[in-house]
DNA sequence: CTGCATCCTGCTAGATACTG
DNA sequence: CAGTATCTAGCAGGATGCAG
């Protein structure tokens, strides 16, 4: 099963097509906070407050929200320990773990290229100023 | 050079820290449209209108905007052929090409896991309904 | 400590119309 | 064809207060 655009054929399972389920998956994964949270969970289970401190700049609301989304997607598991005070730990599931590798690749790419990108940005800005 | 949070040490170049330049790079790369546009350019130079058709759901405005950003970052080059009608071609630079691999990894991950994720979502929804 | 509810704001992105 | 400009609506996301 293929589709044709501009004379070229594309597979049916195609993130470039709007309705494709992989698009929704990419939307989540491409999310700004998801990348960082999954990465932060890479080292093992983390408490809510740990994540809040670790992922700088995230608000409590967005952390909760993103964690819920990840839980819903089956990428993160949530374990509430009913002590006083409450302790909640989040952990990557197996699927979540498998996401770690492509994400790390992206992270490494960012680290390798950020100087070049920064330079290119200032160049571009002075050139078009 | 390291920083310490919760007793653990982290490297200085750390996307999890707000000020870190790699954070800004990740913000761009993790962008919803960037992933798709760079991917669409993976097969070679593409015209503006080709991209518009290929990346379903993107508006002309967002395509222009994202392409400008990628050009500014030195990931995409723009070649305007002054004919009638005008023809503009976009192409990945070397740096842009290097981004292709981690992005494809992400894409493949999405394709591999979307069924599991979809199931997990409906499970979660019925469970919490 | 963890997390939900509410309110409020700014920015993002879509629609539309116009130009080289 | 490949943009720019403007206007607007919707919603993402921050702040705050409260509850288990």
């Amino acid at each position: 099963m293929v589709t044709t655009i501009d004379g070229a054929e594309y597979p049916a399972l195609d993130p470039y097509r709007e309705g494709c389920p992989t698009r929704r998956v990419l939307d989540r994964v491409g999310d700004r906070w998801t990348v960082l949270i999954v990465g932060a969970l890479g080292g093992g289970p983390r408490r809510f407050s740990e994540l809040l401190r670790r992922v700088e700049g995230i608000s409590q609301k967005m952390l909760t929200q993103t964690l819920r989304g990840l839980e819903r997607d089956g990428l993160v598991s949530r374990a509430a320990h009913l002590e006083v005070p409450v302790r909640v730990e989040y952990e990557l599931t197996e699927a979540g773990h498998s996401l770690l590798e492509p994400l790390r690749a992206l992270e490494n790419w960012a680290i390798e290229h950020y100087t070049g990108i920064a330079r290119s940005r200032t160049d571009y800005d002075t050139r078009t100023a």
Side-chain angles (χ1 to χ4, degrees), chain A residues 45-115:
Chain A
R46 292 283 182 269
R47 304 188 52 173
F48 185 85
S49 47
E50 280 182 297
L51 292 172
L52 201 54
R53 281 190 296 274
R54 175 69 176 130
V55 182
E56 257 187 24
I58 195 172
S59 65
Q60 193 193 53
K61 181 182 176 180
M62 288 314 295
L63 180 54
T64 303
Q65 202 167 296
T66 310
L67 283 170
R68 285 288 167 283
L70 288 169
E71 199 191 345
R72 184 168 108 102
D73 288 353
L75 301 178
V76 161
S77 66
R78 176 182 183 276
H81 304 267
L82 295 178
E83 314 161 352
V84 182
V86 183
R87 183 168 55 94
V88 181
E89 289 205 321
Y90 294 91
E91 187 174 9
L92 290 180
T93 62
E94 198 183 321
H97 237 91
S98 73
L99 178 54
L100 219 48
E101 192 182 349
L103 250 39
R104 290 243 193 274
L106 214 57
E107 213 175 290
N108 287 332
W109 186 93
I111 291 175
E112 278 168 31
H113 288 83
Y114 85 93
T115 35

